[in-house]
Amino acid sequence: MALTDLIDIELAVPNPGELQEFWNRRGLATTGTGRLGTPERASQIRLTESDYRHVSQMRIATETQEDLVQISNSLTALGAQVELGDGWLESIDPLIGHSVRVEVARNAPLEQAPSREVNAPGKMIRQNRRSEAAVSEWTPKPRRLGHVVFGSTDTKASVDYYVNGLGFRISDRLPEVEATFLRCSTDHHNMLILPAPVPCMNHYALELEDFDAVGLRGIEVVKERPDASVYGIGRHVVGSNVFWYLLDPAGGMFEFFADMDQITDDDLWDLEIRREDWDPFTIATYESGTSKMDFFLPADIDDIASGRERAGL
Ligand SMILES: [Fe+2]
Protein backbone atom coordinates (compact mmCIF):
# COMPACT_ATOMS: atom_id res chain seq x y z
CA MET A 1 0.00 0.00 0.00
CA ALA A 2 1.40 3.38 -1.00
CA LEU A 3 -0.29 5.30 1.81
CA THR A 4 1.34 4.80 5.18
CA ASP A 5 -0.20 7.07 7.82
CA LEU A 6 -2.85 9.56 8.87
CA ILE A 7 -0.77 12.61 9.81
CA ASP A 8 -3.29 15.03 11.33
CA ILE A 9 -6.56 16.86 10.86
CA GLU A 10 -7.42 20.53 10.82
CA LEU A 11 -10.54 21.10 12.87
CA ALA A 12 -12.50 24.30 12.22
CA VAL A 13 -14.76 25.35 15.10
CA PRO A 14 -16.37 28.57 16.40
CA ASN A 15 -14.40 28.33 19.69
CA PRO A 16 -10.85 27.09 18.96
CA GLY A 17 -9.43 28.65 22.15
CA GLU A 18 -11.87 26.79 24.37
CA LEU A 19 -11.26 23.53 22.50
CA GLN A 20 -7.50 23.99 22.78
CA GLU A 21 -7.74 24.41 26.58
CA PHE A 22 -10.02 21.36 26.77
CA TRP A 23 -7.38 19.24 25.02
CA ASN A 24 -4.58 20.75 27.08
CA ARG A 25 -6.44 19.49 30.18
CA ARG A 26 -6.68 16.02 28.55
CA GLY A 27 -2.91 15.86 28.02
CA LEU A 28 -2.38 17.18 24.49
CA ALA A 29 0.22 19.96 24.37
CA THR A 30 -0.01 23.19 22.40
CA THR A 31 2.95 22.82 20.04
CA GLY A 32 2.34 25.88 17.84
CA THR A 33 -0.38 28.40 17.09
CA GLY A 34 -3.62 26.41 17.29
CA ARG A 35 -1.66 23.18 17.02
CA LEU A 36 -2.05 20.25 19.41
CA GLY A 37 0.32 17.36 19.63
CA THR A 38 2.02 14.73 21.70
CA PRO A 39 5.71 14.55 22.63
CA GLU A 40 6.27 12.14 19.72
CA ARG A 41 3.93 13.72 17.15
CA ALA A 42 3.85 17.50 17.31
CA SER A 43 0.86 17.93 15.01
CA GLN A 44 -2.23 15.80 15.57
CA ILE A 45 -5.05 18.34 15.59
CA ARG A 46 -4.75 21.84 14.10
CA LEU A 47 -7.45 24.20 15.32
CA THR A 48 -8.82 27.05 13.27
CA GLU A 49 -11.82 29.34 13.59
CA SER A 50 -14.97 28.94 11.56
CA ASP A 51 -18.63 29.78 12.14
CA TYR A 52 -19.54 26.09 11.90
CA ARG A 53 -17.89 22.89 13.08
CA HIS A 54 -16.13 20.78 10.46
CA VAL A 55 -12.87 19.15 9.43
CA SER A 56 -11.23 21.53 6.98
CA GLN A 57 -8.23 19.38 6.08
CA MET A 58 -6.80 15.94 6.64
CA ARG A 59 -3.18 15.12 5.94
CA ILE A 60 -2.07 11.65 4.88
CA ALA A 61 1.43 10.28 4.37
CA THR A 62 2.79 8.31 1.45
CA GLU A 63 6.24 6.96 0.61
CA THR A 64 7.43 8.54 -2.64
CA GLN A 65 6.87 11.28 -5.24
CA GLU A 66 5.96 8.48 -7.67
CA ASP A 67 3.09 7.55 -5.33
CA LEU A 68 1.88 11.15 -5.53
CA VAL A 69 1.97 11.09 -9.34
CA GLN A 70 -0.01 7.83 -9.36
CA ILE A 71 -2.57 9.18 -6.87
CA SER A 72 -2.86 12.39 -8.89
CA ASN A 73 -3.58 10.37 -12.05
CA SER A 74 -6.19 8.23 -10.26
CA LEU A 75 -7.93 11.31 -8.83
CA THR A 76 -7.91 13.02 -12.22
CA ALA A 77 -9.41 9.90 -13.83
CA LEU A 78 -12.26 10.11 -11.29
CA GLY A 79 -12.81 13.76 -12.22
CA ALA A 80 -11.62 14.98 -8.81
CA GLN A 81 -9.85 18.29 -8.29
CA VAL A 82 -6.11 17.82 -7.64
CA GLU A 83 -2.94 19.91 -7.45
CA LEU A 84 0.45 18.19 -7.49
CA GLY A 85 3.62 19.72 -6.05
CA ASP A 86 7.07 18.59 -5.00
CA GLY A 87 6.48 16.25 -2.05
CA TRP A 88 2.78 17.00 -1.75
CA LEU A 89 -0.58 16.73 -3.43
CA GLU A 90 -3.80 18.47 -2.55
CA SER A 91 -7.31 17.51 -3.52
CA ILE A 92 -10.77 18.62 -2.45
CA ASP A 93 -13.09 15.89 -1.21
CA PRO A 94 -15.89 16.20 -3.81
CA LEU A 95 -18.71 15.20 -1.44
CA ILE A 96 -17.72 16.54 1.97
CA GLY A 97 -15.67 19.52 0.82
CA HIS A 98 -12.52 19.39 2.98
CA SER A 99 -8.98 19.44 1.64
CA VAL A 100 -7.07 16.16 1.50
CA ARG A 101 -3.32 16.72 1.47
CA VAL A 102 -1.01 13.79 0.80
CA GLU A 103 2.64 14.32 1.69
CA VAL A 104 5.79 12.29 1.26
CA ALA A 105 6.33 11.88 4.99
CA ARG A 106 6.34 9.34 7.76
CA ASN A 107 4.85 9.57 11.24
CA ALA A 108 7.35 9.27 14.06
CA PRO A 109 7.15 5.77 15.53
CA LEU A 110 5.57 5.55 18.97
CA GLU A 111 7.55 4.34 21.90
CA GLN A 112 6.03 1.19 23.32
CA ALA A 113 3.79 1.81 26.32
CA PRO A 114 5.46 0.59 29.52
CA SER A 115 3.82 -2.70 30.46
CA ARG A 116 1.65 -2.38 33.53
CA GLU A 117 1.57 -4.92 36.30
CA VAL A 118 -1.92 -6.41 36.13
CA ASN A 119 -3.05 -9.42 38.16
CA ALA A 120 -5.08 -12.23 36.61
CA PRO A 121 -6.17 -15.75 37.60
CA GLY A 122 -2.98 -17.68 38.24
CA LYS A 123 -0.79 -14.60 37.67
CA MET A 124 0.27 -12.51 40.66
CA ILE A 125 2.15 -9.82 38.79
CA ARG A 126 1.37 -6.83 41.02
CA GLN A 127 2.19 -7.78 44.57
CA ASN A 128 1.93 -5.78 47.77
CA ARG A 129 0.87 -2.57 46.10
CA ARG A 130 -2.35 -1.00 44.76
CA SER A 131 -2.99 -0.53 41.04
CA GLU A 132 -1.87 2.88 39.77
CA ALA A 133 -5.26 3.05 37.97
CA ALA A 134 -7.06 2.69 41.31
CA VAL A 135 -5.20 5.32 43.30
CA SER A 136 -4.90 8.05 40.63
CA GLU A 137 -1.13 7.78 40.37
CA TRP A 138 -1.36 7.61 36.61
CA THR A 139 -2.45 10.30 34.13
CA PRO A 140 -2.19 8.65 30.73
CA LYS A 141 -2.07 11.03 27.77
CA PRO A 142 -3.49 10.51 24.27
CA ARG A 143 -0.70 8.97 22.21
CA ARG A 144 -1.86 9.87 18.72
CA LEU A 145 -4.75 10.70 16.43
CA GLY A 146 -6.06 7.41 15.01
CA HIS A 147 -9.05 8.03 12.80
CA VAL A 148 -11.76 10.38 11.65
CA VAL A 149 -15.31 9.51 10.65
CA PHE A 150 -17.37 11.36 8.08
CA GLY A 151 -21.03 11.41 7.11
CA SER A 152 -21.59 11.63 3.36
CA THR A 153 -24.69 12.18 1.23
CA ASP A 154 -23.33 9.64 -1.28
CA THR A 155 -21.34 6.95 0.51
CA LYS A 156 -20.64 5.03 -2.70
CA ALA A 157 -19.04 8.06 -4.36
CA SER A 158 -17.10 8.89 -1.17
CA VAL A 159 -15.71 5.36 -0.89
CA ASP A 160 -14.81 5.50 -4.58
CA TYR A 161 -12.88 8.76 -4.04
CA TYR A 162 -10.91 7.41 -1.06
CA VAL A 163 -10.31 3.89 -2.39
CA ASN A 164 -9.92 4.31 -6.16
CA GLY A 165 -8.65 7.89 -6.05
CA LEU A 166 -6.44 8.13 -2.98
CA GLY A 167 -5.62 4.46 -2.40
CA PHE A 168 -7.25 3.71 0.96
CA ARG A 169 -8.04 0.03 1.52
CA ILE A 170 -11.38 -1.37 2.67
CA SER A 171 -11.11 -3.23 6.00
CA ASP A 172 -14.78 -4.13 6.60
CA ARG A 173 -18.27 -3.08 5.52
CA LEU A 174 -21.77 -3.02 7.03
CA PRO A 175 -23.69 -2.89 3.75
CA GLU A 176 -27.21 -2.39 5.12
CA VAL A 177 -26.22 0.84 6.86
CA GLU A 178 -23.71 1.83 4.14
CA ALA A 179 -20.79 1.92 6.59
CA THR A 180 -17.31 1.36 5.14
CA PHE A 181 -14.17 1.15 7.28
CA LEU A 182 -11.07 2.38 5.43
CA ARG A 183 -7.39 2.40 6.29
CA CYS A 184 -4.29 4.23 5.09
CA SER A 185 -1.99 2.59 7.68
CA THR A 186 -1.90 -0.64 9.69
CA ASP A 187 -4.85 0.52 11.83
CA HIS A 188 -8.07 -1.35 11.08
CA HIS A 189 -9.54 2.04 10.24
CA ASN A 190 -8.24 5.56 9.83
CA MET A 191 -11.55 6.60 8.34
CA LEU A 192 -15.14 5.44 8.34
CA ILE A 193 -17.69 6.67 5.83
CA LEU A 194 -21.32 6.71 6.99
CA PRO A 195 -24.47 8.04 5.35
CA ALA A 196 -25.75 11.44 6.53
CA PRO A 197 -28.34 13.94 5.27
CA VAL A 198 -25.65 16.66 5.36
CA PRO A 199 -21.90 16.05 4.89
CA CYS A 200 -20.32 16.25 8.35
CA MET A 201 -17.68 14.93 10.67
CA ASN A 202 -19.12 12.23 12.93
CA HIS A 203 -16.10 11.91 15.27
CA TYR A 204 -12.34 11.98 15.58
CA ALA A 205 -10.45 9.44 17.67
CA LEU A 206 -7.38 9.53 19.89
CA GLU A 207 -5.54 6.43 21.02
CA LEU A 208 -4.77 5.78 24.67
CA GLU A 209 -2.73 2.99 26.15
CA ASP A 210 -5.36 0.56 27.38
CA PHE A 211 -8.86 0.07 28.80
CA ASP A 212 -7.97 1.75 32.12
CA ALA A 213 -6.52 4.77 30.32
CA VAL A 214 -9.72 5.16 28.27
CA GLY A 215 -11.77 4.91 31.48
CA LEU A 216 -9.61 7.31 33.50
CA ARG A 217 -9.49 10.00 30.81
CA GLY A 218 -13.14 9.52 29.82
CA ILE A 219 -14.47 9.93 33.35
CA GLU A 220 -12.54 13.20 33.71
CA VAL A 221 -14.54 14.60 30.79
CA VAL A 222 -17.81 13.44 32.37
CA LYS A 223 -16.85 14.98 35.72
CA GLU A 224 -16.34 18.30 33.95
CA ARG A 225 -19.58 18.00 32.00
CA PRO A 226 -22.05 15.34 33.18
CA ASP A 227 -23.88 15.02 29.82
CA ALA A 228 -20.66 14.57 27.77
CA SER A 229 -20.84 10.78 27.46
CA VAL A 230 -22.43 9.62 24.21
CA TYR A 231 -21.59 5.91 24.14
CA GLY A 232 -19.32 3.67 26.15
CA ILE A 233 -17.24 2.42 27.66
CA GLY A 234 -17.30 -0.74 25.54
CA ARG A 235 -15.59 -2.83 22.90
CA HIS A 236 -16.42 -2.74 19.21
CA VAL A 237 -16.69 -5.88 17.11
CA VAL A 238 -15.47 -4.33 13.83
CA GLY A 239 -11.95 -3.08 14.57
CA SER A 240 -12.04 -4.71 18.04
CA ASN A 241 -11.21 -1.41 19.73
CA VAL A 242 -12.17 -0.43 23.27
CA PHE A 243 -14.13 2.83 22.95
CA TRP A 244 -15.69 5.71 24.81
CA TYR A 245 -17.44 8.40 22.76
CA LEU A 246 -17.73 11.84 24.34
CA LEU A 247 -18.55 15.40 23.36
CA ASP A 248 -15.97 18.20 23.17
CA PRO A 249 -16.79 21.85 23.99
CA ALA A 250 -17.31 22.63 20.28
CA GLY A 251 -20.18 20.11 20.23
CA GLY A 252 -18.17 17.58 18.25
CA MET A 253 -17.95 13.92 19.19
CA PHE A 254 -14.57 12.35 19.82
CA GLU A 255 -13.54 8.85 20.81
CA PHE A 256 -10.90 7.65 23.20
CA PHE A 257 -9.85 4.23 21.95
CA ALA A 258 -7.38 1.45 22.70
CA ASP A 259 -6.41 -1.97 21.36
CA MET A 260 -7.51 -1.65 17.72
CA ASP A 261 -6.87 -4.45 15.22
CA GLN A 262 -3.63 -3.92 13.29
CA ILE A 263 -3.40 -5.13 9.70
CA THR A 264 0.16 -5.87 8.62
CA ASP A 265 -0.70 -8.41 5.91
CA ASP A 266 -3.18 -6.83 3.49
CA ASP A 267 -3.63 -10.00 1.42
CA LEU A 268 -4.30 -12.18 4.47
CA TRP A 269 -6.86 -9.67 5.79
CA ASP A 270 -8.58 -9.31 2.41
CA LEU A 271 -8.77 -13.04 1.78
CA GLU A 272 -9.54 -14.45 5.21
CA ILE A 273 -10.72 -11.79 7.65
CA ARG A 274 -12.39 -8.86 5.89
CA ARG A 275 -16.18 -9.07 5.83
CA GLU A 276 -18.48 -7.04 3.62
CA ASP A 277 -21.65 -8.56 5.11
CA TRP A 278 -21.59 -7.39 8.72
CA ASP A 279 -25.01 -7.17 10.34
CA PRO A 280 -26.02 -3.49 10.88
CA PHE A 281 -26.39 -4.06 14.62
CA THR A 282 -22.84 -5.34 15.00
CA ILE A 283 -21.65 -2.35 16.96
CA ALA A 284 -20.26 -3.65 20.23
CA THR A 285 -19.58 -6.91 22.02
CA TYR A 286 -20.37 -5.12 25.29
CA GLU A 287 -21.00 -1.55 26.32
CA SER A 288 -22.19 0.38 29.35
CA GLY A 289 -25.47 2.03 28.43
CA THR A 290 -27.14 2.67 25.12
CA SER A 291 -25.89 5.28 22.71
CA LYS A 292 -27.42 8.72 22.33
CA MET A 293 -28.59 9.80 18.89
CA ASP A 294 -25.43 11.93 18.50
CA PHE A 295 -23.61 8.65 17.91
CA PHE A 296 -25.26 8.36 14.50
CA LEU A 297 -25.86 12.01 13.64
CA PRO A 298 -24.39 15.11 15.30
CA ALA A 299 -26.91 17.04 17.41
CA ASP A 300 -25.77 20.27 15.71
CA ILE A 301 -26.42 18.96 12.18
CA ASP A 302 -28.73 21.95 11.41
CA ASP A 303 -25.93 24.39 12.34
CA ILE A 304 -23.56 22.42 10.10
CA ALA A 305 -26.09 22.54 7.25
CA SER A 306 -26.52 26.33 7.49
CA GLY A 307 -22.73 26.80 7.90
CA ARG A 308 -22.13 24.82 4.71
CA GLU A 309 -24.73 26.93 2.94
CA ARG A 310 -23.01 30.15 4.04
CA ALA A 311 -19.69 28.69 2.83
CA GLY A 312 -21.25 27.98 -0.56
CA LEU A 313 -20.84 24.20 -0.26
FE1 LIG B 1 -14.20 5.58 15.99
Side-chain angles (χ1 to χ4, degrees):
M1 181 163 67
L3 302 177
T4 55
D5 283 309
L6 170 64
I7 301 174
D8 67 4
I9 55 169
E10 183 180 73
L11 202 51
V13 295
N15 54 344
E18 196 185 345
L19 190 53
Q20 180 173 319
E21 284 170 18
F22 171 84
W23 280 116
N24 290 159
R25 293 196 295 282
R26 309 276 89 80
L28 288 182
T30 298
T31 55
T33 308
R35 198 176 65 169
L36 295 163
T38 63
E40 291 155 304
R41 297 185 181 175
S43 187
Q44 296 290 270
I45 300 172
R46 289 173 286 128
L47 297 172
T48 183
E49 193 170 340
S50 165
D51 63 356
Y52 76 105
R53 187 180 64 71
H54 64 286
V55 168
S56 42
Q57 187 180 64
M58 59 187 298
R59 284 198 302 155
I60 298 157
T62 195
E63 287 174 314
T64 65
Q65 183 72 21
E66 289 71 45
D67 295 337
L68 293 177
V69 173
Q70 240 179 46
I71 295 167
S72 172
N73 292 341
S74 305
L75 287 169
T76 306
L78 288 180
Q81 197 180 321
V82 61
E83 193 184 345
L84 178 63
D86 186 16
W88 60 271
L89 166 160
E90 215 165 309
S91 172
I92 303 295
D93 177 305
L95 278 304
I96 303 164
H98 54 255
S99 145
V100 179
R101 189 179 164 94
V102 187
E103 295 180 8
V104 176
R106 196 73 218 238
N107 279 347
L110 296 181
E111 210 169 289
Q112 200 173 325
S115 58
R116 294 178 50 217
E117 294 179 348
V118 176
N119 290 335
K123 279 202 302 189
M124 285 193 293
I125 306 293
R126 190 187 68 255
Q127 298 180 27
N128 309 311
R129 70 169 187 87
R130 301 182 207 277
S131 167
E132 62 281 348
V135 293
S136 306
E137 283 174 358
W138 186 40
T139 45
K141 294 177 179 178
R143 298 294 306 272
R144 65 178 176 111
L145 175 76
H147 60 270
V148 59
V149 174
F150 292 106
S152 167
T153 49
D154 184 343
T155 56
K156 196 167 176 294
S158 284
V159 170
D160 194 33
Y161 173 75
Y162 284 101
V163 173
N164 298 319
L166 284 154
F168 279 66
R169 295 185 72 106
I170 295 175
S171 297
D172 278 302
R173 293 190 69 236
L174 282 66
E176 281 181 58
V177 288
E178 295 180 43
T180 305
F181 292 82
L182 301 169
R183 69 183 186 279
C184 62
S185 74
T186 57
D187 286 349
H188 174 273
H189 54 279
N190 300 104
M191 185 187 281
L192 165 62
I193 303 283
L194 298 169
V198 174
C200 57
M201 180 197 68
N202 177 283
H203 70 269
Y204 55 102
L206 292 155
E207 186 181 37
L208 291 169
E209 278 155 12
D210 58 20
F211 188 99
D212 274 327
V214 171
L216 286 167
R217 279 306 193 177
I219 202 67
E220 272 183 8
V221 178
V222 175
K223 280 179 181 163
E224 230 176 67
R225 178 182 161 185
D227 66 345
S229 178
V230 177
Y231 189 37
I233 200 170
R235 189 181 280 271
H236 281 304
V237 178
V238 182
S240 302
N241 44 309
V242 168
F243 64 82
W244 195 346
Y245 295 89
L246 299 136
L247 293 174
D248 71 25
M253 186 165 70
F254 68 92
E255 175 190 0
F256 282 140
F257 77 96
D259 193 22
M260 177 177 277
D261 290 337
Q262 294 294 310
I263 302 173
T264 59
D265 187 331
D266 291 324
D267 294 337
L268 175 74
W269 187 272
D270 290 354
L271 286 171
E272 294 182 23
I273 306 169
R274 181 172 81 189
R275 280 183 54 183
E276 305 219 9
D277 62 345
W278 282 107
D279 184 274
F281 299 104
T282 311
I283 297 176
T285 48
Y286 61 85
E287 78 277 354
S288 65
T290 49
S291 65
K292 293 180 190 170
M293 272 316 287
D294 317 41
F295 182 67
F296 302 100
L297 195 64
D300 58 351
I301 193 72
D302 292 341
D303 297 336
I304 295 171
S306 46
R308 287 180 62 88
E309 232 173 86
R310 286 192 300 277
L313 291 167

